[in-house]
Amino acid sequence: MSDIINVTRSSIPDFEEYCDEIRSIWESRWLTNMGEKHQQLESELKKYLGSEEVALLTNGHLALETAIEAFELKGEIITTPFTFASTTHAIVRCGCTPVFCDIDPVTYTMDASKIEALITEKTVAIMPVHVYGNFCNVYEIERIAKKHNLKLIYDAAHAFGAKKDGLSSACFGDAAMFSFHATKVFNTIEGGALCFKGSELKTRVNDLKNFGIHGPEEVMYVGGNAKMNEFCAAMGLCNLRHLDQWIEERKAVVEHYRQRLGGVEGIVLCPEQPGVDSNYAYFPVLFDGYKYDRNQVFDRLGENNIIARKYFYPITNSFDCYKGRPGFDPDMTPVAKFVGERILCLPLYAGLSLEDVDRICDVILG
Ligand SMILES: *Cc1c(COP(=O)(O)O)cnc(C)c1O
């Protein structure tokens, strides 16, 4: 049996590079609470992303919750069910109500033409997702948010390093959230960030991620604990040095997949978006009228020691934990339901060999 090919593999620096990076933590004995590495990574990320403010957090999920808290949102948030559990859970856990907008059948991101019909007097925000690194219809969504005075928070967990019209995904909306989870294009082991404008908001986010403590004798908010520690920040500093190279390696994999699978009847690939520099985060394939359906392809790959991922399936408005809640109904978002039942993410990571890509495509096409 041939070696296992996982759906992803974490990108990491050389062991020695990480050891060098963490040496000063041993010397200072400052392990967390916004130390030197944390400050350094925030400043490097500001440059890399072209964002006015960057706040590092324990993970992407808490970054989303912190954004909702920082904007003091209470009410309905228009979002997409075609996302990871985190997006919908963050809204619900913060006491808001997700209102599900269907997705665009080409980019799988929120269908901007369907947003306005969902706005009520209770709507406070829009939370779209740049699915697979595909950009949302950012200009149109921005126009709608402005017109109706709604906060716009992007779940940009998939879009770190991607650019549209020369601007990074951090630059759109009132805030953009990134995940630096081990499986993402850029990782800090676990970690996340919020990008936004304004030093006042930066202070509030910093307080919120540290129990709401503003000063030694001043607790301003009912905050949680969501600080990134120094070891994770050090991993980020190392990984950022290699990121462009890793994105190039991902690109080579994606181009090979496109050559092998493009134009095959019943296999639908995401088109490249005009004006977008991709980060090649995922390689989703939609099986619609192909000789095998999605589940058959998934099983055939599994039999060949290749692990693909039904991502996103199930869609969040059909989760067991939400059964019976009004508004949680996959039939209300038929495009998201259709895509969720047919989509498969193929293995993709920096360093995946083209021979392995061929092995994967041979099984799919065989
Ligand atoms: C990974 C991910 C998250 C959550 O980020 P964590 O860092 O794992 O907490 C949220 N939304 C999307 C779309 C993601 O892919």
Side-chain angles (χ1 to χ4, degrees), residues 59-61 64 83-84 86-87 129 155 157-158 177 179-181 184 190-191 282 311-312:
N59 56 56
H61 180 79
L64 274 183
T83 182
F84 186 53
S86 173
T87 324
V129 182
D155 179 335
H158 287 189
M177 167 283 247
S179 164
F180 304 150
H181 183 256
K184 301 299 206 280
E190 290 262 11
Y282 298 88
Y311 191 66
F312 300 104

Side-chain angles (χ1 to χ4, degrees), residues 8-11 179-184 186-191:
T8 187
R9 189 185 73 173
S10 296
S11 293
S179 164
F180 304 150
H181 183 256
T183 56
K184 301 299 206 280
F186 168 74
N187 87 82
T188 62
I189 308 170
E190 290 262 11

Side-chain angles (χ1 to χ4, degrees), residues 104-116:
D104 175 87
V106 176
T107 63
Y108 311 141
T109 63
M110 187 181 280
D111 184 341
S113 73
K114 296 190 175 138
I115 295 174
E116 282 192 293

